[in-house]
Amino acid sequence: EGTRALDRAAVAGFHAARFRPENTTLILVGDVDPAAMHAQVEAAFGRWRATAPAGRATALATPEIGRTVVYL
């Protein structure tokens, strides 16, 4: 069944519940001008307001590491 069982309302509900400012971390990397980047981020996300307090972050499980092989 999988994705065939999904309808627009289910996907929209999932998105609305999880893609929220209080659940978001914005990471910028690279050779950027901080002032210019701040202005762009503010223009893109400045009106996005949280409707609830931020939830507690959960740690990801540590991946199981197997044998390391290095090829030269």
Side-chain angles (χ1 to χ4, degrees), residues 1-2 4 6 10 17-18 27-28 33-34 36-38 40-41 45-46 48-50 56 58 61 66 70:
E1 209 171 282
R4 293 180 193 266
L6 295 175
R18 289 170 180 81
I27 300 171
L28 305 169
D33 173 24
M37 189 56 61
H38 184 271
Q40 290 179 5
V41 169
F45 298 105
W48 199 27
R49 299 285 181 238
R56 186 172 180 189
T58 56
V70 178

